[in-house]
């Protein structure tokens, strides 16, 4: 047997070793060590946006050390070292993240910063991207309220607004209007870095979409703004989002300890890590928490998330998922380990920003009317949720009432009649189905 050691450039580099039949024989993160029989193997190193690979021939005995696998990270955040980095983008993101282009609401203690950028190629007009309330009242538009340098290929919009959940709407070529959930917390700046797709070659055609579903979302103290010196905050989120999309955890020891101790410097990383633990995703790192009794740490993480983000639907949902998987029980302080700063929600009117959370919430709402109230955004829009992405998104070009009726008609055509069966079959919240059935009587 030969000892193969592979080192990645970044501590979140995913490493894989494949045999001649393309079967995975070893995997790890950052550093991989394996004893393998003689043969030819394919070694892959992956970071968000890039893959590098080598063929390596292992002798019968001895050891081989690979250090030259170095895929170049890409990110929609303009941090130094990424493949599409531009100094003009970096400088603009630093500058505009400290400005406020629009102030909305009476208690504008939260911040939302949008930065849309190309790979450096110019554009002739800004993308159609708007910040709205959940009931579709416009707050700000990138084109009308933001700043742009179309020659350099970037736009920015900074909004001060009250903590809570909002909607980002944008046009998607050939698909129409889409909406994406976003969240703002008091004292924090939610940063959304959005890749700007290529221009169409057709004269007079669209200038490329803002690819919001592939955006990087980060949260930093609002006085910090965008800081390229803290590039690890963004590269680690990029890797964690990449993992979340494939139901894997990319949570380092430092991030694990920060999550447990309530010391997260980027709450988005805390949310992603907590979802991974709550949903049982595999972690390529040596996760210490996986070897400990969940009762020792689940309540501590759940309570500290609520202290960090008291207005976040994700934090409130994770409090339930971490402490008591299954149906959401009403909070009982007598069985809590530690005390959360606010009572966890037992009814969810606003959506989590992550699709995993929204799916878990709606799944439980098909058997319990309390979780999603019938007149809430979550109930009204459940029928037009899109699938397959990291973030909670909706097709705003479809009437959700008509779509809900179509789903219920399909369920009835299958011979179902009572509310519980209709809800389970259609995937709609029980509260919504009960309301529709009551109106029809």
């Amino acid at each position: 047997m030969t000892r193969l050691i592979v080192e990645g450039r970044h501590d979140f580099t995913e490493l894989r070793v494949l045999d001649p039949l393309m079967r995975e024989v070893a995997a790890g993160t950052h550093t991989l060590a394996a004893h393998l029989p003689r043969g030819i193997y394919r070694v892959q190193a992956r970071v968000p946006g890039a893959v590098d690979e080598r063929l390596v021939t292992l002798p019968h005995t001895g050891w081989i050390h690979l250090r030259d696998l170095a895929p170049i990270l890409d990110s929609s955040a303009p941090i130094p070292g990424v493949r599409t980095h531009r100094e003009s983008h970096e400088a603009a993101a630093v500058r505009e993240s400290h400005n406020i282009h629009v102030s909305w609401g009476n208690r504008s203690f939260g911040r939302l910063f949008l930065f849309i950028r190309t790979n450096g190629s110019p554009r002739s007009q800004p993308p159609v991207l708007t910040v709205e309330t959940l009931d579709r009242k416009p707050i700000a538009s990138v084109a009308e309220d933001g700043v742009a340098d179309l020659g350099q290929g970037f736009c920015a919009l900074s909004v001060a607004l009250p903590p809570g959940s909002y909607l980002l709407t944008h046009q998607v070529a050939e698909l129409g209007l889409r909406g994406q959930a976003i969240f703002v917390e008091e004292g924090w700046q939610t940063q959304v870095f959005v890749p700007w797709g290529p221009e169409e070659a057709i004269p007079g055609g669209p200038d490329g979409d803002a690819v919001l579903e592939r955006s990087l979302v980060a949260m930093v103290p609002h006085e910090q703004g965008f800081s390229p010196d803290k590039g690890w905050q963004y590269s680690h989120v990029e890797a964690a989002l990449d993992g979340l999309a494939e139901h894997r955890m990319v949570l380092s020891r430092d991030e694990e300890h920060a999550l447990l101790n309530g010391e997260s410097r980027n709450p988005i990383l805390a949310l992603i890590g907590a979802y991974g633990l709550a949903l049982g995703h595999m972690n390529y790192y040596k996760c210490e928490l996986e070897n400990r009794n969940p009762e020792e740490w689940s309540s501590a993480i759940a309570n500290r998330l609520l202290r960090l983000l008291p207005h976040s639907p994700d934090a409130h949902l994770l409090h339930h998922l971490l402490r008591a998987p299954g149906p959401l029980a009403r909070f009982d302080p007598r069985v809590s380990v530690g005390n959360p700063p606010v009572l966890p929600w037992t009814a969810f009117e606003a959506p989590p920003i992550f699709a995993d959370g929204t799916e878990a919430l709606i799944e439980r709402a098909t058997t319990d009317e309390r979780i999603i109230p019938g007149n809430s955004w979550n109930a009204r829009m459940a029928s037009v949720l899109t699938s397959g992405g990291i973030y909670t998104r909706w097709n705003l070009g479809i009437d959700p009432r008509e779509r809900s009726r179509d789903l219920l008609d399909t369920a009835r055509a299958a011979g179902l009649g009572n509310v519980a069966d209709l809800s389970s079959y259609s995937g709609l919240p029980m509260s919504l189905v009960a309301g529709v059935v009551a109106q029809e009587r």
Side-chain angles (χ1 to χ4, degrees):
M1 301 286 280
T2 299
R3 180 174 174 81
L4 173 65
I5 301 173
V6 186
E7 290 186 33
R9 179 177 180 180
H10 302 280
D11 60 0
F12 50 77
T13 302
E14 297 173 26
L15 302 169
R16 300 174 69 212
V17 180
L18 307 175
D19 68 11
L21 297 178
M22 298 302 288
R23 295 174 300 194
E24 183 179 287
V25 295
T29 302
H30 183 40
T31 301
L32 178 154
H35 287 88
L36 298 169
R38 184 176 66 178
I40 299 175
Y41 296 86
R42 186 181 301 271
V43 182
Q44 296 179 339
R46 175 184 173 188
V47 297
V51 177
D52 192 7
E53 64 179 29
R54 297 283 189 279
L55 289 177
V56 58
T57 300
L58 301 186
H60 184 67
T61 59
W63 64 280
I64 290 180
H65 196 165
L66 291 180
R67 293 189 181 94
D68 59 341
L69 288 159
I72 300 176
L73 173 75
D74 202 9
S75 173
S76 50
I79 52 177
V82 303
R83 189 169 64 245
T84 55
H85 175 262
R86 298 292 183 274
E87 289 185 1
S88 59
H89 294 179
E90 178 187 322
V94 172
R95 180 181 66 250
E96 299 304 333
S97 66
H98 289 281
N99 292 330
I100 296 178
H101 304 136
V102 174
S103 186
W104 184 86
N106 295 326
R107 293 175 55 82
S108 302
F109 300 140
R111 300 287 186 272
L112 175 63
F113 176 61
L114 304 177
F115 195 81
I116 305 99
R117 73 186 192 95
T118 71
N119 59 3
S121 58
R123 295 290 184 268
S124 56
Q125 58 185 2
V128 178
L129 201 163
T130 304
V131 182
E132 301 180 359
T133 64
L134 288 181
D135 57 4
R136 299 299 312 276
K137 293 180 181 177
I139 296 174
S141 163
V142 169
E144 297 177 3
D145 303 299
V147 299
D149 187 329
L150 299 179
Q152 295 292 329
F154 69 81
C155 301
L157 173 66
S158 181
V159 186
L161 66 181
S165 299
Y166 297 90
L167 187 66
L168 301 178
T169 65
H170 67 126
Q171 290 287 342
V172 179
E174 301 179 358
L175 295 177
L177 190 64
R178 292 291 185 270
Q180 183 165 310
I182 196 64
F183 167 76
V184 173
E185 184 57 86
E186 185 171 341
W188 296 87
Q189 182 182 68
T190 299
Q191 301 176 338
V192 186
F193 297 94
V194 186
W196 195 352
E199 283 189 306
E200 299 291 340
I202 303 172
D207 278 345
D209 292 326
V211 191
L212 199 57
E213 65 272 23
R214 285 176 37 215
S215 58
L216 185 158
V217 178
M219 292 183 73
V220 301
H222 68 75
E223 71 276 3
Q224 175 180 309
F226 175 67
S227 177
D229 294 338
K230 295 181 171 62
W232 64 268
Q233 290 186 325
Y234 303 99
S235 59
H236 279 227
V237 170
E238 196 79 70
L241 289 170
D242 222 35
L244 187 64
E246 299 180 2
H247 303 292
R248 295 180 295 99
M249 284 183 67
V250 181
L251 187 69
S252 70
R253 286 285 181 86
D254 288 344
E255 290 157 3
E256 180 185 339
H257 292 159
L259 177 62
L260 182 60
N261 297 328
E263 299 171 349
S264 178
R265 291 160 289 182
N266 190 329
I268 293 296
L269 270 177
L271 292 177
I272 296 172
Y275 271 120
L277 292 170
L279 300 177
H281 293 168
M282 180 181 67
N283 190 359
Y284 278 4
Y285 286 97
K286 301 296 183 182
C287 183
E288 294 180 5
L289 296 182
E290 292 174 348
N291 300 318
R292 293 166 57 181
N293 189 327
E295 293 181 0
E296 297 178 14
W297 50 262
S298 56
S299 288
I301 292 176
N303 292 342
R304 283 162 181 159
L305 279 175
L306 281 185
R307 185 168 291 109
L308 193 66
L309 301 171
H311 298 90
S312 164
D314 291 274
H316 283 267
L317 176 62
L318 281 162
H319 192 279
H320 295 285
L321 296 179
L322 285 166
R323 294 179 67 248
L328 305 192
R330 292 195 178 278
F331 177 71
D332 183 353
R334 293 172 299 177
V335 298
S336 173
V337 178
N339 294 311
V342 295
L343 287 180
W345 300 345
T346 54
F348 286 76
E349 306 241 353
I353 66 171
F354 288 109
D356 281 351
T358 301
E359 290 170 7
L361 190 61
I362 291 180
E363 180 182 355
R364 286 158 176 76
T366 59
T367 58
D368 188 340
E369 287 189 60
R370 301 173 305 160
I371 299 169
I372 294 182
N375 61 349
S376 67
W377 170 271
N378 282 329
R380 294 195 307 271
M381 301 299 289
S383 63
V384 293
L385 276 168
T386 64
S387 60
I390 300 172
Y391 303 109
T392 302
R393 291 169 57 81
W394 303 270
N395 184 343
L396 300 181
I398 297 177
D399 185 332
R401 292 170 297 181
E402 292 185 6
R403 176 62 176 160
S404 295
R405 285 194 293 268
D406 290 343
L407 291 173
L408 291 177
D409 287 344
T410 301
R412 289 187 176 109
L416 305 177
N418 65 58
V419 169
D421 290 341
L422 289 171
S423 178
S424 177
Y425 188 92
S426 66
L428 296 174
M430 185 179 284
S431 60
L432 177 70
V433 175
V436 172
V437 171
Q439 289 176 356
E440 293 173 345
R441 290 174 179 169

